[in-house]
Amino acid sequence: MLPLLKKPTLDPDEACSYRPISKLIERVVISRFAEHSSTYNLLPLQQSAYRTFHSTETALLSIHNDLVRSIDNGKVSLLVLLDLSAAFETVDHQLLLSVLANRFSIDSSPWPSDGFSHI
């Protein structure tokens, strides 16, 4: 992956003209996580993030479909929406690392010790 200019009109000889390296690393990690989780079927079927051809639109369509089917079957339906936009700020990072290691087989080692592809 190559560094990208923030705008095509910026001077390529200036380091500040490029996107921060953290954005590049984020893209690499997301790409490798998506491949890893897809290869080993680690995500629930309804999970939209980190999946090809899934988006907030497909998630909304799925919820809409479930609600319509439930109403058509004469059932009472309730939809609760939560705003989790700041939720990551409250995450217990040790717990997150534990879940990544135990559920997704992802650790901080850059080299796989068991022959499997780790992030």
Side-chain angles (χ1 to χ4, degrees):
M1 199 165 264
L2 299 173
L4 301 173
L5 287 171
K6 292 178 184 176
K7 296 179 184 176
T9 57
L10 294 176
D11 183 2
D13 294 325
E14 294 289 328
C16 64
S17 298
Y18 292 91
R19 295 185 189 278
I21 191 71
S22 61
K23 284 290 182 189
L24 296 173
I25 292 171
E26 179 181 322
R27 288 182 184 174
V28 169
V29 169
I30 287 172
S31 171
R32 291 187 66 192
F33 177 75
E35 181 182 337
H36 176 78
S37 60
S38 175
T39 300
Y40 297 103
N41 296 314
L42 299 172
L43 298 176
L45 291 176
Q46 297 300 320
Q47 175 78 32
S48 291
Y50 313 112
R51 298 181 83 173
T52 306
F53 306 119
H54 288 76
S55 65
T56 53
E57 183 178 355
T58 56
L60 287 172
L61 287 171
S62 177
I63 291 169
H64 179 266
N65 184 56
D66 290 347
L67 285 169
V68 169
R69 290 176 67 195
S70 179
I71 293 167
D72 284 347
N73 290 327
K75 296 181 180 176
V76 175
S77 300
L78 173 68
L79 174 63
V80 176
L81 301 173
L82 302 172
D83 179 6
L84 301 175
S85 58
F88 191 75
E89 297 169 10
T90 63
V91 167
D92 179 335
H93 289 89
Q94 290 299 340
L95 178 60
L96 175 62
L97 292 173
S98 174
V99 168
L100 287 173
N102 297 324
R103 178 161 181 213
F104 294 98
S105 300
I106 296 171
D107 60 30
S108 60
S109 171
W111 309 111
S113 59
D114 58 5
F116 292 104
S117 175
H118 293 259
I119 291 181

